[in-house]
Amino acid sequence: MIKKNLLMTCGLILLSGSFLFAQKSKIKEANRSYSQATDQIILASTQGSPTAYDNDKVTTPLLKAKEAIDEATTNSETSGNADAWAAKGMIYADLARIPKFKDKQYYNESLIAFQKAFELNPKSIRKTETETAIYNAGLFAFNGGIAAVNEGEYDVSIQAMTTAKKALTFNDNSMFKDRKEKDTIVADAEYYVGYGYYSKKDYPGTITATENALKNPINKERLDAYRILAFAYGENKNYPKQIAIIETAKAKFPKNKDLEIDELNYYISQGKEKELVGKFEDAVSKNPDNPLYLNNLALLYRNMGAEKDGEFPPDADSWHNKADASFRKAIALEPQNHIYQYNLGNLLITKADLLGYKMNKLGTSKIDNQKYDQFSSMRINTMKQAITYYEKVASLLEPKFNNKKISGDEQEYLFESWRTLARLYGATNNPSMSKEMKDKMAKNNVN
């Protein structure tokens, strides 16, 4: 997941309506403490660091204001006072900006207070200062949601993103029409609600939230939303919807490689490999110079000849040879593509496994012993061929890794290549190179 940082543009927030606060001592106390806090918030904002708000000169009066307004909104004499609830919303919005209070998620209670104020008296939501506070609560909630995603706290994130959307679309989306940037934030918040459910493996929740997110035109341009939705439908065993979403996404993002793999995995998981073989062979015949199509067809061929429940199919060799030829064509067209190099190396390991499988099926006759030696030699040679392609992957990606310009996906291919090379060097009687790979992994904390 990509981490996001959002600039929090929070203006001066001041409480007005002193005639109201004079009525009750606790409201007056909250107003007095909050006024002290806002002066310090302005000073802290000039320091350019979020931690500046952790200063006791900011937090002490804010907490005093909180204590007073909490009492006022629970006191029977003032609990129905709309302006008191609006004041609570504003105080809690500023509490939400304080880094050391982030675990409190005060933005949630801020929104609840503003909603209560609006319910009691819509006029209590004054445009000049209260609107800014509501907007700030939405921004703080969004940032809190992003932080929660990065920390794996998905329930917190779902709640925060829900609050962010409600705050930024307050009063039926009529309040912030002039703030165009909020449209993108709202769309992001909708997406992250679905992502939160997906991450916690609540697939019905994922489907509901992501279907809703995709009603937003901004999210219709978000590839990951379609992929998450398709996966959730698959986990929910609604396979017709799963493939329908994949095909919709493919039509919208025709050059995306991940969707090709998603489709491939769908057909394989449904036992429809032969149906897909014909589809991909037709695509390759129409686009013989498309390396992606060749690679995907090769993956399908490889899977048709894969081991299942400890047994290889009788025609495994034929499928592997077709896969080998297709992978090599893809590499010839795009030799610097590390994925194609990796896939061919993986296929060669599968071929070596098939030879080992055949060796284990042999008896003890003289002819069988001769076949065993022949297969053993072929197996070693096949693993040595695989080494060539994994070394190519490493040569393509290590410079990026060393220059810290490697993507997360590329890094996984590199690390897995190191792991595989360590095993292959050991299996082909090259202990020095095996040790070199293991030392490289240890140096870079690769398990």
Side-chain angles (χ1 to χ4, degrees):
M1 173 51 53
I2 298 174
K3 295 184 178 180
K4 293 194 176 183
N5 293 312
L6 187 69
L7 179 62
M8 296 180 288
T9 52
C10 308
L12 173 61
I13 306 171
L14 297 175
L15 292 176
S16 59
S18 58
F19 68 94
L20 168 64
F21 288 97
Q23 295 178 30
K24 303 295 177 183
S25 62
K26 284 298 177 182
I27 300 178
K28 288 173 62 179
E29 181 183 337
N31 183 46
R32 195 162 47 244
S33 296
Y34 185 68
S35 295
Q36 294 172 12
T38 54
D39 291 339
Q40 295 300 320
I41 287 170
I42 294 170
L43 290 174
S45 69
T46 64
Q47 297 182 32
S49 171
T51 57
Y53 297 108
D54 281 334
N55 193 310
D56 287 346
K57 291 182 179 180
V58 174
T59 59
T60 298
L62 264 183
L63 290 173
K64 286 183 178 179
K66 173 185 177 300
E67 182 181 358
I69 204 65
D70 283 348
E71 186 168 339
T73 52
T74 55
N75 186 291
S76 60
E77 295 182 2
T78 49
S79 61
N81 188 307
D83 286 336
W85 283 99
K88 179 172 181 174
M90 298 173 76
I91 291 167
Y92 273 71
D94 269 324
L95 283 165
R97 80 168 69 236
I98 311 299
K100 67 181 180 183
F101 295 155
K102 70 174 185 176
D103 61 317
K104 304 293 186 181
Q105 296 106 44
Y106 281 125
Y107 41 76
N108 293 323
E109 292 178 82
S110 174
L111 177 64
I112 291 171
F114 282 128
Q115 289 173 324
K116 179 68 173 179
F118 188 78
E119 176 187 321
L120 291 168
N121 180 9
K123 293 181 180 180
S124 66
I125 306 300
R126 289 178 290 275
K127 184 175 179 61
T128 53
E129 64 275 353
T130 316
E131 177 180 327
T132 302
I134 295 172
Y135 195 80
N136 286 339
L139 294 183
F140 297 146
F142 182 82
N143 281 296
I146 291 295
V149 166
N150 293 333
E151 294 168 6
E153 297 177 348
Y154 300 114
D155 286 327
V156 172
S157 175
I158 290 168
Q159 179 61 60
M161 292 302 181
T162 301
T163 293
K165 178 183 176 179
K166 287 181 178 179
L168 297 177
T169 58
F170 199 89
N171 191 16
D172 295 326
N173 208 23
S174 64
M175 186 170 283
F176 305 117
K177 290 182 178 180
D178 58 330
R179 304 199 189 198
K180 298 302 180 184
E181 72 278 4
K182 68 95 179 176
D183 293 336
T184 300
I185 302 171
V186 168
D188 285 348
E190 291 170 339
Y191 165 76
Y192 278 111
V193 171
Y195 180 82
Y197 282 115
Y198 169 75
S199 298
K200 59 184 284 191
K201 299 183 180 180
D202 179 344
Y203 300 116
T206 304
I207 290 169
T208 299
T210 308
E211 289 275 21
N212 179 67
L214 283 169
K215 293 176 183 177
N216 189 317
I218 295 174
N219 283 325
K220 288 182 182 295
E221 304 304 316
R222 192 190 297 268
L223 169 65
D224 282 352
Y226 293 94
R227 296 190 69 209
I228 286 172
L229 182 58
F231 184 86
Y233 272 123
E235 289 295 313
N236 226 34
K237 302 187 185 308
N238 189 336
Y239 303 117
K241 286 290 290 185
Q242 180 187 12
I243 191 60
I245 295 297
I246 291 172
E247 296 300 338
T248 297
K250 281 187 66 184
K252 193 167 188 62
F253 308 97
K255 295 182 180 180
N256 185 267
K257 296 180 181 181
D258 290 328
L259 289 170
E260 297 284 352
I261 300 300
D262 289 349
E263 182 185 47
L264 182 68
N265 288 335
Y266 165 80
Y267 278 98
I268 292 170
S269 69
Q270 295 304 299
K272 298 180 178 180
E273 290 99 333
K274 290 184 179 180
E275 179 181 334
L276 192 58
V277 164
K279 181 176 180 178
F280 271 70
E281 286 179 337
D282 182 59
V284 168
S285 69
K286 295 176 181 177
N287 303 273
D289 295 327
N290 187 315
L292 176 60
Y293 286 2
L294 287 162
N295 174 75
N296 288 349
L297 179 59
L299 288 172
L300 184 57
Y301 284 148
R302 183 196 66 188
N303 288 328
M304 291 294 288
E307 181 182 9
K308 295 179 179 68
D309 300 322
E311 298 288 333
F312 280 93
D315 56 352
D317 278 316
S318 174
W319 289 116
H320 293 169
N321 291 337
K322 287 182 177 182
D324 189 293
S326 192
F327 277 137
R328 292 180 192 275
K329 288 178 183 177
I331 289 172
L333 289 165
E334 199 172 328
Q336 303 304 304
N337 188 304
H338 66 276
I339 296 176
Y340 304 160
Q341 301 280 350
Y342 180 92
N343 286 343
L344 181 50
N346 183 265
L347 171 66
L348 290 165
I349 290 177
T350 303
K351 283 187 167 187
D353 289 342
L354 176 58
L355 287 165
Y357 170 83
K358 290 179 178 180
M359 291 163 65
N360 290 332
K361 293 288 186 179
L362 292 171
T364 57
S365 69
K366 181 177 180 180
I367 293 177
D368 281 345
N369 287 336
Q370 289 174 343
K371 286 184 178 179
Y372 187 95
D373 291 340
Q374 179 186 4
F375 288 159
S376 179
S377 177
M378 291 170 62
R379 183 169 176 270
I380 294 296
N381 288 333
T382 302
M383 286 191 287
K384 287 181 177 178
Q385 290 179 50
I387 287 173
T388 301
Y389 293 97
Y390 284 106
E391 286 178 335
K392 181 64 175 178
V393 174
S395 72
L396 290 169
L397 297 181
E398 282 183 4
K400 290 185 176 183
F401 180 74
N402 294 334
N403 293 327
K404 298 182 180 179
K405 294 182 178 180
I406 193 168
S407 70
D409 182 68
E410 290 171 332
Q411 183 168 284
E412 282 304 311
Y413 275 101
L414 175 60
F415 288 174
E416 188 57 36
S417 293
W418 285 349
R419 296 185 190 102
T420 306
L421 282 169
R423 294 194 297 269
L424 288 173
Y425 284 132
T428 56
N429 197 28
N430 194 340
S432 62
M433 286 300 297
S434 180
K435 182 178 184 302
E436 182 178 318
M437 286 296 107
K438 291 176 182 177
D439 290 344
K440 186 178 292 189
M441 289 190 289
K443 179 181 178 182
N444 291 286
N445 297 315
V446 179
N447 297 322

